[in-house]
Amino acid sequence: MNSNITIYDVAREAAVSMATVSRVVNGNPNVKPSTRKKVQDAIDQLGYRPNAVARGLASKKTTTVGVIVPDISNIFFADLARGIEDVATMYKYNIILCNSDQNPEKEIHLLNTLLGKQVDGIIFMGGRLHEDLVREFKTSPVPIVLAATLNQDYDLPAVNIDYESAAHDAVKSLIDHGHKRIGFITGPLEQQINGEKKFAGYRSALEEANLPFDEQNVVLGNYTYDSGMKAMNQLLELGADCPRAIFAGTDEMALGVIHALQDAGHQVPQDFEVIGHDNTRLATMIRPKLTTVVQPMYDIGAVSMRLLTKILNKEEIETNDVTLPHRIEERDSTRSS
Amino acid sequence: MNSNITIYDVAREAAVSMATVSRVVNGNPNVKPSTRKKVQDAIDQLGYRPNAVARGLASKKTTTVGVIVPDISNIFFADLARGIEDVATMYKYNIILCNSDQNPEKEIHLLNTLLGKQVDGIIFMGGRLHEDLVREFKTSPVPIVLAATLNQDYDLPAVNIDYESAAHDAVKSLIDHGHKRIGFITGPLEQQINGEKKFAGYRSALEEANLPFDEQNVVLGNYTYDSGMKAMNQLLELGADCPRAIFAGTDEMALGVIHALQDAGHQVPQDFEVIGHDNTRLATMIRPKLTTVVQPMYDIGAVSMRLLTKILNKEEIETNDVTLPHRIEERDSTRSS
DNA sequence: ATAGCGAATGAAAACGTTTTACAATGAGGG
DNA sequence: CCCTCATTGTAAAACGTTTTCATTCGCTAT
């Protein structure tokens, strides 16, 4: 219907030039109210809808940002994406969403696709920043911000929580309940967030309490429910040495842990205490309800996007590397302190 | 770095015309292999990246499709979105993702934004199709397909499962276990999928077994875990009349139901049987594991996108309105038949 | 040789805007 | 009443491609 109506048609209808139409469409103040109205009427009558592609070509702004996530079907990233989208909408941006599956080649390919599409900026999430990727980031013609993604020595804009301190707090709370042995069920250690941050927090809490570090108490998972169960069962095989307090790297693994315990006839939190990480909606959908470290996913997304808009608008920025607060949500999988 | 290199630069570097460069970039076969290589070398050397916006303007194709979902942070839509994105990628499309929150005005606004951005097509999800929206759909310059969204008399392309039959099957399986009273915990009845489809399936299964319909056995929820708990507790107040078999409209509500029952000291499936709907990942994260109707969300997304590509490519299409198969996944919240 | 032909290449228009440079109009000051 | 400045409007260039049409090139068949 109105798909082939151009600014020129509007100009003719309103008996002005296309530049004038452009001015009213873009809210330029240098237009006499009477002509503004005339033009607006013509627009309404014809059902004119500006062609954003042509606009993007002429102005070199697309009001579109790219978002690269590992997997949108993961509740964690879905929440993040929602935060991003909400503030994007607020600032009149749209988002092009891409799934990388954490595949380094795919990540680079997606980056190039997005740059080809002339996005105004990019928000990136991923477990590990391959150095090739970082190189591309550095030469990107548009700003890139990392969301819930560690930055190590590269100084890219990023928003995170302090994972080390969060893990520390979680483990410490367990220690405070009198436990001497604390199990740690973690995601892949190659990922900085696990291998460096959370792990460091785990160890430092132990050290602080003068508790020995014992390798057999840390078990590898892959973030899934099943891997959580499996890891807990492995811990259970330790028999009397089995830790009676578990810190799981994600809520989903924590659920697996709890069910593995219950399947083995144990009571949570009476026999075993469990604490998760992320505070996904899962946490309240299990009995006992899961005590967990809250990582504000939605907020991280929202703040990332806000940071990006600040960069795009060349607003004053206090710091490129923002750290959001975390806390522990006490529920029923730990004994109340 | 390579952001301001144009096709013209490449043409100069390779000593050919820009038309020839365009040909090799687009894989046009009418190029002598030797010049193709010459051009390709120039492209690689300069790091040329075609400007998709300019391309879109000239060709009137953006290789971008719009996706409107109620809420990406809902696991259900996240899964769907992943299905869409995967086949979009397969066909070289990108997706612009928008959240509508099922708000009719927002839906229309998003539609217009997407059309303004010249997307090649749109995939839409929503609980209820407001008639204004349908009118816009009908006059859309680009194809629109509905995913997991009922179409009633309008004949828009759509992909769904047969919700009525799925509900029927679920309720029948409960009846087959000897239950005379079946509880139905449903989402808002204004939504066609609940008020017409699932409800009709519930009633027809009852009728078929010559069981009376009793209004007090159907309770309204709003899809959430909490509303599922609440609904079950309401049912429990019926005392001896309380149905001992429950069909919940979503898995999340089913989890609420199970926990409400367990909190009240009942055993599932010994005392009460529960069956959910959707087969989200939640279904295996509860004890007992949830028997549920599987609605293949990912597949619905994938098939929707595939349908859209078929329309875009003007491929032969058997039917505009595809119905995917459903089935019941028997797990531990029902007694094995 | 050369006409004829298909394949390869090039020139230029078109896509729908924004933006720049400038022209016309109108108002106020001397 | 003329000149100067704002103010408002106009024309046209740019944006970076695709695409159409024309031209050139390199052969084959005569």
Side-chain angles (χ1 to χ4, degrees):
Chain A
M1 161 195 194
N2 47 13
S3 63
N4 42 1
I5 294 186
T6 74
I7 199 173
Y8 195 74
D9 298 318
V10 176
R12 180 152 21 85
E13 178 76 14
V16 298
S17 76
M18 56 189 296
T20 302
V21 178
S22 177
R23 285 197 184 96
V24 350
V25 168
N26 292 289
N28 183 314
N30 287 351
V31 179
K32 187 162 52 174
S34 68
T35 69
R36 177 184 303 281
K37 169 155 183 8
K38 200 169 55 175
V39 170
Q40 191 57 56
D41 288 349
I43 287 175
D44 293 343
Q45 191 193 325
L46 296 169
Y48 168 67
R49 181 192 295 133
N51 181 324
V53 172
R55 217 201 270 238
L57 182 58
S59 69
K60 296 177 165 298
K61 300 245 162 288
T62 55
T63 61
T64 301
V65 306
V67 175
I68 299 177
V69 299
D71 176 12
I72 190 63
S73 70
N74 180 319
I75 190 170
F76 182 87
F77 297 112
D79 231 7
L80 224 93
R82 182 51 136 115
I84 293 171
E85 220 269 331
D86 279 358
V87 352
T89 299
M90 208 171 295
Y91 287 85
K92 314 278 190 204
Y93 285 95
N94 287 108
I95 68 175
I96 296 183
L97 183 84
C98 308
N99 297 105
S100 70
D101 291 316
Q102 306 240 31
N103 174 334
E105 287 163 30
K106 215 162 161 186
E107 286 172 342
I108 289 193
H109 174 249
L110 289 174
L111 174 63
N112 279 303
T113 303
L114 289 173
L115 293 178
K117 294 229 167 172
Q118 312 299 118
V119 294
D120 293 339
I122 291 177
I123 294 185
F124 180 90
M125 275 145 282
R128 237 161 70 92
L129 290 186
H130 192 289
E131 68 177 73
D132 291 349
L133 225 208
V134 173
R135 195 170 327 116
E136 303 258 0
F137 280 173
K138 296 274 186 173
T139 63
S140 164
V142 301
I144 294 176
V145 356
L146 304 178
T149 298
L150 263 2
N151 205 350
Q152 45 196 43
D153 21 60
Y154 322 116
D155 59 340
L156 297 164
V159 3
N160 288 287
I161 64 171
D162 183 337
Y163 296 103
E164 177 169 348
S165 145
H168 178 104
D169 293 352
V171 174
K172 177 165 190 312
S173 80
L174 262 9
I175 293 173
D176 287 348
H177 289 186
H179 294 277
K180 301 294 178 202
R181 274 193 291 265
I182 313 279
F184 177 35
I185 295 179
T186 175
L189 294 175
E190 309 87 69
Q191 307 202 174
Q192 211 185 343
I193 185 177
N194 301 313
E196 295 178 24
K197 302 296 181 173
K198 289 181 185 171
F199 197 35
Y202 171 73
R203 295 200 64 152
S204 74
L206 251 32
E207 268 171 39
E208 197 176 284
N210 288 316
L211 259 21
F213 168 75
D214 185 344
E215 205 171 76
Q216 69 183 2
N217 290 340
V218 358
V219 187
L220 221 63
N222 66 355
Y223 297 135
T224 63
Y225 174 85
D226 287 340
S227 78
M229 286 194 75
K230 204 167 138 232
M232 188 63 230
N233 284 327
Q234 181 179 332
L235 244 23
L236 249 12
E237 284 172 11
L238 262 32
D241 283 351
C242 177
R244 299 273 164 158
I246 311 290
F247 171 47
T250 65
D251 285 350
E252 192 170 332
M253 291 196 291
L255 293 218
V257 166
I258 289 178
H259 281 151
L261 288 167
Q262 290 173 339
D263 288 355
H266 299 293
Q267 299 272 316
V268 178
Q270 294 81 351
D271 305 336
F272 285 79
E273 292 193 81
V274 178
I275 184 166
H277 194 287
D278 288 351
N279 193 35
T280 55
R281 304 181 59 214
L282 296 176
T284 57
M285 295 188 193
I286 185 173
R287 290 309 149 87
K289 290 181 189 150
L290 184 67
T291 293
T292 190
V293 175
V294 359
Q295 171 173 28
M297 286 98 36
Y298 179 93
D299 295 350
I300 291 178
V303 171
S304 305
M305 185 64 210
R306 180 65 186 104
L307 177 56
L308 183 55
T309 63
K310 279 185 185 166
I311 298 173
L312 290 173
N313 297 338
K314 308 203 186 319
E315 290 177 36
E316 193 71 25
I317 292 171
E318 347 47 87
T319 170
N320 247 359
D321 195 344
V322 0
T323 300
L324 261 26
H326 63 269
R327 63 186 169 81
I328 293 180
E329 178 75 30
E330 305 264 3
R331 283 194 274 252
D332 309 329
S333 67
T334 52
R335 301 193 279 273
S336 57
S337 346
Chain B
M1 159 197 196
N2 48 13
S3 62
N4 42 1
I5 294 184
T6 74
I7 199 173
Y8 195 75
D9 298 319
V10 176
R12 178 151 22 83
E13 178 77 14
V16 297
S17 75
M18 56 189 295
T20 300
V21 177
S22 175
R23 287 194 184 93
V24 349
V25 168
N26 292 290
N28 184 315
N30 288 348
V31 179
K32 190 162 50 171
S34 67
T35 69
R36 179 183 301 281
K37 169 154 182 11
K38 200 169 55 176
V39 170
Q40 191 58 56
D41 288 349
I43 287 174
D44 294 342
Q45 190 193 326
L46 295 171
Y48 168 67
R49 181 193 295 133
N51 180 326
V53 172
R55 219 201 268 238
L57 182 58
S59 68
K60 298 177 166 295
K61 300 244 161 291
T62 54
T63 62
T64 302
V65 305
V67 175
I68 300 177
V69 299
D71 177 11
I72 190 63
S73 70
N74 179 318
I75 189 171
F76 183 86
F77 297 113
D79 230 7
L80 225 93
R82 183 69 213 251
I84 293 171
E85 220 268 332
D86 280 357
V87 354
T89 299
M90 208 172 295
Y91 286 86
K92 315 277 190 206
Y93 284 94
N94 288 109
I95 68 176
I96 296 184
L97 183 85
C98 308
N99 297 105
S100 70
D101 291 316
Q102 306 241 32
N103 175 336
E105 286 163 33
K106 216 162 161 186
E107 287 172 341
I108 289 193
H109 174 250
L110 289 173
L111 174 63
N112 280 303
T113 303
L114 290 173
L115 292 178
K117 294 229 167 171
Q118 311 300 115
V119 294
D120 293 338
I122 292 176
I123 294 185
F124 179 90
M125 273 145 283
R128 239 160 69 92
L129 291 185
H130 193 288
E131 68 177 76
D132 292 349
L133 226 209
V134 173
R135 194 170 329 116
E136 303 257 0
F137 280 174
K138 296 273 186 174
T139 64
S140 164
V142 300
I144 295 177
V145 355
L146 305 179
T149 298
L150 264 2
N151 204 351
Q152 45 195 46
D153 21 60
Y154 322 115
D155 58 339
L156 297 164
V159 3
N160 288 287
I161 62 170
D162 183 338
Y163 296 104
E164 177 170 346
S165 146
H168 177 104
D169 294 353
V171 174
K172 179 167 189 311
S173 80
L174 260 12
I175 293 174
D176 287 349
H177 289 187
H179 293 278
K180 301 294 178 202
R181 273 192 293 265
I182 313 280
F184 176 35
I185 296 178
T186 175
L189 295 176
E190 310 87 71
Q191 308 204 171
Q192 212 184 342
I193 186 175
N194 302 312
E196 296 179 24
K197 303 296 182 175
K198 289 182 185 171
F199 197 35
Y202 171 73
R203 294 198 64 151
S204 74
L206 250 32
E207 269 171 38
E208 197 177 284
N210 288 313
L211 257 23
F213 168 75
D214 185 345
E215 205 172 74
Q216 70 183 1
N217 290 340
V218 357
V219 187
L220 222 62
N222 66 355
Y223 298 137
T224 63
Y225 174 86
D226 286 341
S227 77
M229 285 194 75
K230 206 168 137 230
M232 188 64 231
N233 285 326
Q234 183 178 331
L235 246 20
L236 250 11
E237 283 172 10
L238 263 31
D241 283 349
C242 177
R244 300 272 163 158
I246 311 290
F247 170 48
T250 66
D251 285 350
E252 191 169 332
M253 289 196 293
L255 292 218
V257 166
I258 290 178
H259 280 152
L261 288 167
Q262 291 172 340
D263 288 355
H266 300 293
Q267 298 272 315
V268 178
Q270 293 82 349
D271 306 336
F272 285 80
E273 293 191 80
V274 179
I275 183 165
H277 194 288
D278 290 350
N279 193 36
T280 55
R281 304 181 58 214
L282 296 175
T284 57
M285 294 188 192
I286 186 174
R287 290 309 149 84
K289 290 180 188 151
L290 184 66
T291 293
T292 191
V293 174
V294 358
Q295 169 172 30
M297 286 99 33
Y298 179 92
D299 295 350
I300 291 178
V303 171
S304 305
M305 185 63 209
R306 180 65 186 105
L307 177 56
L308 183 55
T309 64
K310 279 185 185 169
I311 298 173
L312 291 172
N313 298 338
K314 307 203 189 318
E315 290 177 35
E316 192 72 24
I317 293 170
E318 347 49 84
T319 169
N320 246 358
D321 194 346
V322 0
T323 301
L324 261 26
H326 63 269
R327 64 185 169 79
I328 293 180
E329 177 76 29
E330 305 265 2
R331 284 193 274 250
D332 309 329
S333 67
T334 52
R335 302 194 279 275
S336 57
S337 345

